[in-house]
């Protein structure tokens, strides 16, 4: 079996992509260690064999899967004997809901805070592309976004409330042990840790902090094993 994960790489070998962290953690959950292939923002052609240009892309012998959700479902269905990512059909449906909340809630709130930092840590040859695409997406300059950091941090606060509430109840979103919903939300914090030297959590954010530390320790410290800003942990 030859498993290959194509994932985003930035300056200093940083691995900031939350989508790629979803896949990395899902693979680790299944006890699988892929070979990783770094892909710069301007190297989308490297994964064109998957029929699109985004990462993550998983190669499993002659099978190719793109999109983090498709990868999670592929792993769950192809490696059913390993620990479950979802815990059954109902769990899969709820994990998909958390996927949508992460994309349209958590990530949407974090992006205007993190994008200016991510630009500074993109590969030098990727920076123009990153600036152009992100400024088009946000309809304003990166400098404008950076100047409004405090506003965006205040807007993040209520978005974190479901995490706060749930993590005050059990150590992980999925209960006593982590599973895919945890990887979905945690992957966003991996992005923060990878690019941002400022702590995005308020000092009193105990439950989310404790969860992040547990998540960083999983799989022999897989999420700690990449270059990052400890100040943001
Ligand atoms: N829905 C996809 C989204 C994948 C995605 O947007 N990946 C980013 C990782 S940085 C990407 O490749 N972006 C390409 C770009 O910004 O040009 C998934 O869940 O995997």
């Amino acid at each position: 079996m030859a498993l290959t994960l194509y994932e985003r790489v930035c300056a200093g070998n940083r691995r900031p992509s939350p989508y790629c962290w979803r896949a990395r953690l899902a693979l680790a959950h299944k006890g699988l260690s892929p070979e990783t292939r770094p892909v710069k923002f301007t190297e989308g052609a490297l994964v064109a064999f998957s029929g699109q240009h985004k990462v993550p892309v998983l190669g499993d012998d002659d099978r190719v899967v793109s999109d983090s959700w498709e990868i999670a479902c592929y792993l769950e269905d192809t490696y059913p004997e390993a620990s479950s990512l979802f815990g059954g059909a109902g769990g899969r449906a709820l994990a998909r809901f958390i996927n949508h909340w992460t994309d349209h809630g958590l990530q949407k709130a974090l992006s205007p805070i993190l994008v200016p930092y991510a630009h500074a840590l993109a590969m030098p040859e990727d920076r123009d592309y990153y600036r152009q695409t992100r400024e088009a997406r946000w309809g304003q300059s990166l400098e404008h976004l950076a100047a409004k950091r405090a506003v965006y941090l205040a807007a993040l606060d209520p978005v974190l409330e479901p995490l706060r509430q749930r993590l005050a109840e059990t150590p992980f979103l999925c209960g006593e042990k982590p599973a895919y919903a945890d990887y979905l939300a945690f992957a966003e914090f991996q992005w923060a840790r990878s690019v941002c030297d400022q702590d995005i959590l308020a000092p009193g954010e105990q439950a989310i902090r404790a969860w992040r530390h547990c998540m960083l320790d999983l799989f022999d410290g897989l999420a700690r094993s990449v270059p990052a800003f400890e100040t943001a942990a």
Side-chain angles (χ1 to χ4, degrees), residues 8 17 19 22 41 53-56 67-69 129 134:
R8 182 68 70 234
S17 166
Y19 301 108
R22 295 174 190 182
F41 276 102
H53 67 278
K54 293 184 177 182
V55 287
D67 187 274
S68 56
W69 176 254
Y129 168 85
R134 272 47 183 185

Side-chain angles (χ1 to χ4, degrees), residues 111-117 119 130-149 152:
S111 292
I113 302 166
L114 298 182
V115 158
Y117 292 95
H119 174 255
Y130 193 81
R131 174 183 284 279
Q132 213 180 348
T133 51
R134 272 47 183 185
E135 289 187 344
R137 188 175 299 170
W138 286 94
Q140 53 191 308
S141 71
L142 298 185
E143 289 70 23
H144 221 102
L145 287 177
K148 288 193 287 184
R149 185 174 191 275
Y152 291 124

Side-chain angles (χ1 to χ4, degrees), residues 204-227:
E205 204 69 86
Q206 288 314 328
I208 299 179
R209 283 181 189 281
W211 168 74
R212 278 183 80 179
H213 281 279
C214 291
M215 296 297 291
L216 285 163
D217 288 341
L218 291 177
F219 314 122
D220 296 325
L222 173 65
R224 278 190 208 282
S225 70
V226 290

Side-chain angles (χ1 to χ4, degrees), residues 24 34 40 63 66 91 96 100 138 156 175 184 213 221:
R24 270 243 215 167
K40 298 178 203 167
R63 286 162 294 186
S66 59
R96 185 59 172 158
H100 290 312
W138 286 94
L156 172 66
L184 282 164
H213 281 279

Side-chain angles (χ1 to χ4, degrees), residues 5-203:
L5 182 69
Y6 293 78
E7 66 174 12
R8 182 68 70 234
V9 66
C10 286
N13 202 26
R14 279 167 197 271
R15 306 293 163 124
S17 166
Y19 301 108
C20 297
W21 275 105
R22 295 174 190 182
R24 270 243 215 167
L25 291 161
L27 282 154
H29 184 102
K30 288 288 182 186
L32 300 168
S33 314
E35 186 191 319
T36 56
R37 296 261 175 88
V39 181
K40 298 178 203 167
F41 276 102
T42 47
E43 287 181 333
L46 283 181
V47 293
F49 64 88
S50 68
Q52 49 91 63
H53 67 278
K54 293 184 177 182
V55 287
V57 171
L58 180 70
D60 186 359
D61 285 331
D62 57 354
R63 286 162 294 186
V64 174
V65 191
S66 59
D67 187 274
S68 56
W69 176 254
E70 293 303 324
I71 291 171
C73 291
Y74 170 81
L75 293 173
E76 184 75 343
D77 298 337
T78 310
Y79 300 96
E81 68 289 350
S83 175
S84 174
L85 285 165
F86 303 130
R92 187 183 300 226
L94 280 177
R96 185 59 172 158
F97 172 76
I98 299 295
N99 195 144
H100 290 312
W101 172 75
T102 303
D103 287 351
H104 303 287
L106 183 57
Q107 188 179 104
K108 203 160 195 174
L110 279 172
S111 292
I113 302 166
L114 298 182
V115 158
Y117 292 95
H119 174 255
L121 281 168
M123 291 287 197
E125 58 271 43
D126 282 353
R127 283 187 198 147
D128 285 350
Y129 168 85
Y130 193 81
R131 174 183 284 279
Q132 213 180 348
T133 51
R134 272 47 183 185
E135 289 187 344
R137 188 175 299 170
W138 286 94
Q140 53 191 308
S141 71
L142 298 185
E143 289 70 23
H144 221 102
L145 287 177
K148 288 193 287 184
R149 185 174 191 275
V151 174
Y152 291 124
L153 273 174
L156 172 66
D157 187 68
V159 175
L160 295 177
E161 190 60 19
L163 278 185
R164 247 178 235 132
Q165 294 285 335
R166 178 65 188 135
L167 293 171
E169 294 166 352
T170 53
F172 298 100
L173 297 181
C174 292
E176 297 303 315
K177 288 186 192 162
Y180 196 64
D182 288 278
Y183 309 143
L184 282 164
F186 173 71
E188 301 300 319
F189 292 97
Q190 273 300 86
W191 181 25
R193 195 168 183 273
S194 172
V195 299
C196 182
D197 61 354
Q198 306 289 313
D199 201 342
I200 52 161
L201 291 177

